[in-house]
Amino acid sequence: MMCAAQLKAMAIGIACILAAICVCEGSSLVEPPMTQAPPTLSPAHVRSRLRTNFRASPVSATTTPPRCEYKELMTNLHDRVGILATLDEDQRHRLEVIDKKLDQLVDSNAARMESLKAQQLNFQQRLDSFEHIQRLSRSTLDELKGETDLTLGPRRVRELKQKLSNRRKMKDISRSVRSAPQQYAPLPNSSAGNIDISLTDRLDALATLLTSTALSVRTVQEDVFKLTQAINRQRRLSHRRVPPNLIGQPGAAAFPAYPRLSPATSCLQYYLSVQGILKLQLTPESESFYVACDGDWTVILNRSSDEINFERGWLDYKDGFGNLAGDFFIGLNKLHALTSAAIHELRIVFEDFDGHVAYAGYSTFAIGSERELYPLSLLGRFQSDLSPSAGDSLSYHAGAKFSTIDSDNDNCLDCSCAQRYKGAGWFNNCGTSNILGQYHQQNYAKAGESGIFWDTFQGKDYSLRRVRMMIRPIGEEEARR
């Protein structure tokens, strides 16, 4: 592409050529027609005649200057060259912008590749550790099997003896009790060892009977549960058929109160949980999933160590990751389903490395769907009555879309907040908190913006030790549940 200086130089050169052509066009040099061959003259005679002609015939003062039409062409050419120079400047600016964006894209891809390499290395290390543990377990099992075979005999023989013993026990259980004939009565001098063996067999048979009874009871319980569900459905259908003006009036049939055995829909039913883990099913059509409960609060985020890497991509944050018994993130899909099924409030618990605990709460909390890029669509009033209070460092993020290291959805035009903060979150430009950042166990007081910080609690440079993010449904309907 020709630069502006070269275009201007070319324009000046063409203008000079046109001016010269114009001057040549304006000169009145008219050559008379040749009627006969000119006489042969010597060079001295020719020079004498030319000198005489130039002295004798001066240019008349009344001669009109020649008209030159190349001036207009020169003006038009100059204008076009100026336009070309302007277009050239614009194209150069656009190329510079494209180069800058390409550099940013290369940097972004390099950061993503480094993150993927780190995750791959971490996965490979865990896989190697798992294989090592598996090899140790196999060797230990082989040793135990060998010792067992040496002590108790070959495995197949023991299995056969166990089967024969079980069959004999089942026969003894199914056999009716009857008095033993006199000829089979035990002799007075029978040894105590035989009596102990018979007692052991009977105890084993009784244990087998109790096990089978427990299985039968469990089957009956499942049948009762299914029957109760069918009765509840029938009761709801019957309730719909009764006119509203008859319900609660004298003479109206009272419906029996059956126990509510429907699946849990929130941690308000935490009494159904096992070691703090509860299985939820929000609607009869939706898939069930497990959550961690802290009382009647549903834990959606827990961070207390650097065992789990939170610098992850969009798919990981969409589905969730980690261990419900340790550090984890519940997943944006589940969080959207929970906050869409009922209105929730938000509670965040912080702890620094000196043991100081603080709280931040918001009256309402909800996020949007994946089609909307999971925005922080609902964030209510900050609950300043919680003590000790960590302050409000989340309201600045209200309405922002969720961003990860491979999906930049923030409002920063010339940066990626997720890459800058080494994590993910609802970033605006960029933010006043970073609870999904990197965990810093060393130099936590000067970790900077990449650490786990809450601006109104210890500032942006301090990386916190523990963070727990919880939600709880509010409203009368969920409270009745």
Side-chain angles (χ1 to χ4, degrees):
M1 183 178 293
M2 190 176 297
C3 63
Q6 292 177 348
L7 289 173
K8 292 180 179 179
M10 183 181 292
I12 294 173
I14 294 174
C16 294
I17 293 172
L18 292 176
I21 294 173
C22 183
V23 172
C24 294
E25 289 281 339
S27 61
S28 57
L29 295 176
V30 180
E31 186 177 355
M34 299 292 294
T35 56
Q36 59 183 359
T40 303
L41 300 176
S42 63
H45 186 64
V46 171
R47 285 195 297 271
S48 174
R49 290 188 62 180
L50 285 175
R51 194 178 301 113
T52 304
N53 288 336
F54 276 109
R55 291 177 180 175
S57 53
V59 180
S60 175
T62 60
T63 304
T64 60
R67 180 182 178 185
C68 182
E69 296 181 355
Y70 291 101
K71 291 183 179 180
E72 297 178 0
L73 293 175
M74 185 174 63
T75 303
N76 293 335
L77 182 61
H78 185 271
D79 295 338
R80 292 185 180 182
V81 170
I83 293 172
L84 290 175
T86 304
L87 291 175
D88 180 69
E89 291 291 337
D90 187 34
Q91 293 293 333
R92 286 168 54 191
H93 178 69
R94 291 184 180 180
L95 286 175
E96 291 176 357
V97 173
I98 291 173
D99 290 339
K100 184 177 180 181
K101 290 184 177 180
L102 287 175
D103 293 337
Q104 293 177 355
L105 182 60
V106 169
D107 295 339
S108 175
N109 289 333
R112 293 177 187 174
M113 290 300 296
E114 291 296 331
S115 175
L116 289 175
K117 288 180 180 178
Q119 294 180 13
Q120 185 179 6
L121 180 60
N122 188 13
F123 177 76
Q124 188 65 35
Q125 291 176 353
R126 293 188 179 183
L127 185 60
D128 295 340
S129 176
F130 176 76
E131 291 178 352
H132 179 66
I133 293 173
Q134 188 177 13
R135 288 193 297 270
L136 291 178
S137 301
R138 286 179 179 176
S139 62
T140 305
L141 286 175
D142 293 337
E143 292 177 0
L144 291 175
K145 288 179 181 179
E147 293 178 359
T148 304
D149 293 339
L150 290 175
T151 304
L152 303 177
R155 181 176 302 275
R156 292 184 178 179
V157 176
R158 287 187 282 116
E159 290 178 354
L160 182 59
K161 288 182 179 179
Q162 186 66 29
K163 289 181 180 179
L164 294 174
S165 176
N166 291 335
R167 289 177 182 176
R168 186 171 59 253
K169 292 174 185 176
M170 294 303 296
K171 287 180 181 180
D172 292 338
I173 293 171
S174 60
R175 187 182 302 147
S176 59
V177 180
R178 58 186 178 181
S179 60
Q182 186 67 28
Q183 62 269 22
Y184 296 106
L187 298 175
N189 57 355
S190 61
S191 62
N194 295 331
I195 297 175
D196 293 339
I197 293 174
S198 176
L199 182 60
T200 303
D201 292 340
R202 291 179 181 273
L203 289 175
D204 292 339
L206 181 59
T208 304
L209 178 61
L210 290 175
T211 303
S212 62
T213 305
L215 294 175
S216 301
V217 170
R218 183 176 298 177
T219 304
V220 172
Q221 287 178 344
E222 293 177 355
D223 294 338
V224 170
F225 177 73
K226 294 178 181 178
L227 181 60
T228 306
Q229 284 185 331
I231 292 173
N232 286 335
R233 286 195 296 268
Q234 185 66 28
R235 181 171 59 86
R236 286 194 294 269
L237 292 175
S238 301
H239 188 274
R240 292 175 183 173
R241 294 193 186 101
V242 176
N245 56 356
L246 295 181
I247 299 177
Q249 294 184 3
F255 296 102
Y258 294 99
R260 185 181 181 88
L261 298 175
S262 59
T265 57
S266 71
C267 283
L268 292 176
Q269 298 149 305
Y270 64 91
Y271 49 85
L272 300 175
S273 63
V274 178
Q275 296 182 353
I277 306 299
L278 181 63
K279 185 177 182 180
L280 300 184
Q281 187 172 6
L282 303 179
T283 62
E285 297 79 13
S286 63
E287 295 183 359
S288 59
F289 57 91
Y290 291 93
V291 297
C293 295
D294 187 355
D296 53 358
W297 292 88
T298 302
V299 183
I300 63 175
L301 170 69
N302 188 60
R303 304 200 64 183
S304 58
S305 65
D306 58 350
E307 294 181 357
I308 301 297
N309 180 23
F310 277 73
E311 190 178 1
R312 295 172 177 260
W314 182 265
L315 294 179
D316 288 341
Y317 275 96
K318 173 185 173 181
D319 298 329
F321 54 88
N323 186 359
L324 291 179
D327 292 354
F328 71 94
F329 178 70
I330 191 172
L332 296 169
N333 270 349
K334 299 184 185 70
L335 185 57
H336 169 64
L338 286 169
T339 57
S340 299
I343 300 177
H344 286 69
E345 61 176 318
L346 175 65
R347 179 73 55 84
I348 310 176
V349 185
F350 305 97
E351 182 182 350
D352 61 13
F353 281 87
D354 295 328
H356 300 137
V357 180
Y359 302 90
Y362 298 86
S363 59
T364 54
F365 172 79
I367 69 169
S369 62
E370 183 181 12
R371 181 175 58 84
E372 303 169 310
L373 301 177
Y374 300 112
L376 185 55
S377 56
L378 180 61
L379 187 67
R381 177 183 56 82
F382 174 73
Q383 298 172 349
S384 57
D385 54 342
L386 295 176
S387 180
S389 176
D392 182 13
S393 294
L394 190 60
S395 295
Y396 176 79
H397 301 251
K401 297 178 176 62
F402 198 84
S403 296
T404 59
I405 57 174
D406 60 350
S407 181
D408 185 12
N409 303 314
D410 54 46
N411 294 326
C412 182
L413 298 179
D414 56 349
C415 71
S416 172
C417 298
Q419 295 182 8
R420 174 181 171 184
Y421 285 176
K422 306 292 184 183
W426 294 279
F427 294 117
N428 202 344
N429 185 27
C430 285
T432 55
S433 62
N434 185 30
I435 57 179
L436 297 174
Q438 286 185 332
Y439 191 93
H440 291 269
Q441 198 164 2
Q442 305 292 334
N443 298 325
Y444 51 83
K446 298 180 180 180
E449 293 181 338
S450 64
I452 306 172
F453 73 84
W454 190 264
D455 191 19
T456 52
F457 179 64
Q458 303 296 353
K460 286 189 175 183
D461 293 331
Y462 191 98
S463 184
L464 301 173
R465 180 182 182 182
R466 297 179 187 271
V467 175
R468 173 168 281 204
M469 197 172 182
M470 305 176 292
I471 59 174
R472 180 175 63 181
I474 57 178
E476 296 181 359
E477 181 180 355
E478 287 296 328
R480 285 197 300 269
R481 287 186 175 184

